[in-house]
Amino acid sequence: EAVEELATAAGMEMPKPDRNQREQAERARTLGEVLDAVQESWQRRLYQPEGRDGLAYLRGRGLSDDTIAAFSLGWSGAGRGELVAEMARLDITPAMLRDAGVMRADENGAPQRELFFNRVTFPIRDRRGRLVSFGGRILGDGQPKYLNGPETALFSKRRVLFGLDRAREGVRGTGNGAELLVVEGYMDVIALHQAGFHGAVAPLGTALTAEQLEALWQVAPAPVLCFDGDAAGQRAAVQAAQTALPLL
């Protein structure tokens, strides 16, 4: 990963030594392009009449327009086939949308319907800033309130932390360095960044995993867990400690 990151920074392409790796890299690049196209659509929809409620929700939570743009927040639409039709004009098929994690599959694996609808969308990026999935928050009383994309060739929920790409820059990018803060959700991370705490990250709706702890320790030796003060948050903190101690 270190060599790959250095090569990227230098504008060089990593050699692909065998056919399987070349095919995997090509597939990942294709899925990344699909996610980028979906993201452009959803970000644009947020500022159209259909996204009015989503934009009002984000502003009502105290987010500035600059913050909304910086995190590329969007609106998924009503899920009535608009995304499929729009992507078809870009030669992106329902099967590609399924593989990228934005369409559900039926019991036979065929793409069935859009996964995100009537939701504010949060792009999920890996530690290098590459788009790998989405999260979404429904407006109103629907369930689940928050929804993450499924596991794909690009996205492993156990290994990714929301905001880690930004937090790496925040922690390492200045002489003083920001503190690495682990909080519970998307909105916590975004609000903290807006308030000047640029080291905030969050797991994706699950307990903190060993893989996520290892990723945190690669950024800072002593990340601070700052979960909610309710019973669920206290349980999450204890569970994180129990996960961390054997690794330490």
Side-chain angles (χ1 to χ4, degrees):
E1 286 185 355
V3 175
E4 185 178 358
E5 188 162 335
L6 289 169
T8 300
M12 300 170 64
E13 188 72 24
M14 281 281 289
K16 304 299 186 293
D18 61 43
R19 180 179 175 183
N20 287 338
Q21 285 188 330
R22 282 197 301 272
E23 290 176 350
Q24 289 175 4
E26 184 61 37
R27 183 163 180 255
R29 184 159 49 245
T30 300
L31 290 181
E33 291 168 352
V34 171
L35 291 172
D36 286 339
V38 172
Q39 165 59 21
E40 289 177 12
S41 171
W42 285 350
Q43 194 171 3
R44 185 176 65 252
R45 288 169 186 264
L46 182 67
Y47 296 96
Q48 295 178 345
E50 64 177 296
R52 185 185 300 112
D53 291 342
L55 187 58
Y57 166 79
L58 293 170
R59 288 171 173 166
R61 292 292 301 268
L63 299 188
S64 69
D65 287 351
D66 287 345
T67 297
I68 292 169
F71 280 85
S72 303
L73 306 184
W75 177 253
S76 65
R80 299 191 181 93
E82 302 99 325
L83 180 66
V84 173
E86 183 177 349
M87 293 299 106
R89 294 193 289 271
L90 301 175
D91 295 325
I92 294 174
T93 66
M96 295 165 73
L97 294 171
R98 174 204 60 201
D99 292 345
V102 294
M103 285 194 74
R104 295 186 187 275
D106 63 18
E107 58 187 15
N108 297 316
Q112 186 178 31
R113 63 184 186 277
E114 294 173 21
L115 177 62
F116 299 94
F117 53 90
N118 290 333
R119 290 180 183 269
V120 172
T121 58
F122 302 83
I124 299 172
R125 302 183 183 276
D126 66 13
R127 69 184 70 185
R128 293 175 56 194
R130 296 174 298 192
L131 186 58
V132 294
S133 189
F134 294 98
R137 190 203 192 281
I138 199 165
L139 300 186
D141 299 325
Q143 293 294 328
K145 183 166 71 172
Y146 283 96
L147 176 69
N148 294 315
E151 301 273 318
T152 67
L154 293 182
F155 178 52
S156 172
K157 190 181 296 186
R158 294 182 57 82
R159 301 178 184 277
V160 176
L161 288 144
F162 181 73
L164 186 59
D165 57 318
R166 290 175 171 272
R168 290 175 72 202
E169 295 300 319
V171 171
R172 297 175 176 176
T174 65
N176 295 326
E179 206 158 27
L180 185 58
L181 303 174
V182 185
V183 293
E184 286 201 18
Y186 303 116
M187 292 298 295
D188 299 326
V189 170
I190 296 170
L192 282 167
H193 275 268
Q194 180 171 286
F197 295 89
H198 300 299
V201 302
L204 298 169
T206 61
L208 202 60
T209 66
E211 293 86 347
Q212 289 168 335
L213 280 167
E214 296 285 4
L216 290 168
W217 282 324
Q218 290 175 13
V219 176
V224 177
L225 304 187
C226 190
F227 296 146
D228 290 352
D230 57 15
Q234 293 181 37
R235 286 195 299 270
V238 171
Q239 186 170 347
Q242 291 172 336
T243 302
L245 283 170
L247 301 173
L248 289 170

